[in-house]
Amino acid sequence: MKHLSTEISENKLISGQYGDIHFGPWGLECSDRHSFVTITDQPRNAILRDDIWHLSDGRLQIKYETEQTSSNTIRLCLSVEALNDIPLQDAVIRLVFDKNAITHGIIAGRTFTHCNSDKYRLYPIKQVQLVGQDGGTITVRLEDADGAGRFDPYMYLRDRDDHWIIHARLLPCDPVDQVWLRWANRFFTLSAPNGVSRFLWRISPIKKLLWRLRERAGRRCPEIQAVPLNHLKAGQSLGLEVTCHFD
C-alpha cells in the first residue's frame, strides 16, 4: 500500500512522496506589472518586510497555509489583501510534481503526455489530475475562490523540463482596468502604449489571440502576449483554497 509522506516547514511544502511519485516544492505567486512575488524562487522587484510584501505598485499582506489533513490529502490556502490600491495580474497557488512515474495529465476532459511543451493549458475549471505509472491518481481540486468581483478562477496543467506544474489562478475579468501588451526576450521588454493596447483589446478576435498568447502557445512562441490587470482596492482580498488528493 502506498504511503503519503510530506515535509512541511513554515507553512510551505518542501517535498513529498507518494509511492514512486515525488513532488515539491509548492508555493504561491502574485504579480503586478513590474513585480513578481514567489516563495519558491527569487522574487523580482518585490521585498518582504515585517510580513508585508512591497511591490512596485503597492503593498500586500499575503497569508499562505499548507496542511496535511489526512493520510492522503493536502490542503493549501492563499489570502492576498491589498494594503493600498494596487493593479494585479494574478494570484496563484502552485504545485510541482516530478514527471518520473507519471504517465499523463488530464484537464478539461483532455489527456496530455509530457513533451516539455511549456504550454499553460488554462481553463476555467476546478480540477486537474495526474495519473501514475502504477495507476494511482493525483487529483488537485479548487475548493473555493474569492476574486473580489474582479478576478475569475482558472486552473492550468503545464509540462516543463522534468516537471508537471499545476496552478490554481485568479485572473482579471472584464471589464479590465489595464492591458499590458508586451514583447519580451532575454535582452529587453518592449511594451505597447496604453492607448494602443486598449484599442486592440476592444477588437474581439485580436483580444482572443493575444490574451496570454505565449503562455498558451508554449516555448516555441515568441514572448508576445496581452496581460490584463485589475485594481484590488485597499482592504479587498483575493482567496484560493486547494486540495490535493492521492489515490
Side-chain angles (χ1 to χ4, degrees), residues 228-244:
L229 298 94
N230 275 348
H231 282 89
L232 196 64
K233 296 184 179 298
Q236 288 186 315
S237 296
L238 303 178
L240 290 167
E241 180 182 349
V242 166
T243 56
C244 182

Side-chain angles (χ1 to χ4, degrees), residues 95-128:
L95 301 89
V96 179
F97 301 83
D98 290 359
K99 72 173 186 179
N100 299 326
I102 295 176
T103 61
H104 61 276
I106 303 171
I107 186 169
R110 302 179 64 188
T111 298
F112 299 94
T113 56
H114 197 294
C115 57
N116 194 23
S117 72
D118 201 28
K119 289 181 179 180
Y120 296 44
R121 297 178 176 92
L122 181 67
Y123 298 92
I125 59 172
K126 293 188 174 182
Q127 182 171 293
V128 181

Side-chain angles (χ1 to χ4, degrees), residues 3-190:
H3 171 70
L4 173 64
S5 61
T6 59
E7 179 188 355
I8 297 172
S9 176
E10 297 181 350
N11 265 317
K12 182 175 72 174
L13 185 136
I14 308 302
S15 63
Q17 184 174 354
Y18 182 71
D20 294 331
I21 298 174
H22 295 259
F23 54 92
W26 294 354
L28 65 93
E29 294 178 359
C30 185
S31 54
D32 61 17
R33 181 161 174 165
H34 305 288
S35 304
F36 174 66
V37 172
T38 174
I39 60 173
T40 55
D41 203 345
Q42 182 64 41
R44 184 173 64 251
N45 299 325
I47 298 174
L48 179 61
R49 184 184 303 126
D50 298 327
D51 291 328
I52 294 174
W53 282 96
H54 297 254
L55 286 70
S56 296
D57 292 329
R59 297 173 301 128
L60 298 172
Q61 180 85 61
I62 298 177
K63 297 179 181 179
Y64 178 70
E65 299 177 2
T66 303
E67 179 186 10
Q68 182 173 337
T69 56
S70 73
S71 61
N72 62 347
T73 302
I74 303 170
R75 174 177 170 269
L76 304 104
C77 292
L78 173 66
S79 172
V80 177
E81 180 184 358
L83 301 183
N84 50 269
D85 294 0
I86 180 172
L88 292 179
Q89 292 187 44
D90 59 4
V92 173
I93 289 178
R94 172 184 173 90
L95 301 89
V96 179
F97 301 83
D98 290 359
K99 72 173 186 179
N100 299 326
I102 295 176
T103 61
H104 61 276
I106 303 171
I107 186 169
R110 302 179 64 188
T111 298
F112 299 94
T113 56
H114 197 294
C115 57
N116 194 23
S117 72
D118 201 28
K119 289 181 179 180
Y120 296 44
R121 297 178 176 92
L122 181 67
Y123 298 92
I125 59 172
K126 293 188 174 182
Q127 182 171 293
V128 181
Q129 291 183 309
L130 298 171
V131 179
Q133 293 177 351
D134 60 1
T137 302
I138 301 170
T139 302
V140 179
R141 181 169 177 82
L142 178 60
E143 301 291 349
D144 193 25
D146 181 0
R150 304 306 317 282
F151 294 77
D152 286 339
Y154 290 80
M155 297 192 76
Y156 84 48
L157 176 66
R158 179 181 176 193
D159 54 328
R160 178 180 182 179
D161 299 332
D162 293 327
H163 300 96
W164 286 102
I165 303 171
I166 295 175
H167 276 196
R169 309 177 85 181
L170 285 169
L171 299 178
C173 56
D174 286 326
V176 301
D177 294 324
Q178 298 179 24
V179 180
W180 183 19
L181 178 56
R182 68 183 188 229
W183 171 35
N185 59 40
R186 58 185 294 189
F187 303 108
F188 57 81
T189 298
L190 294 178

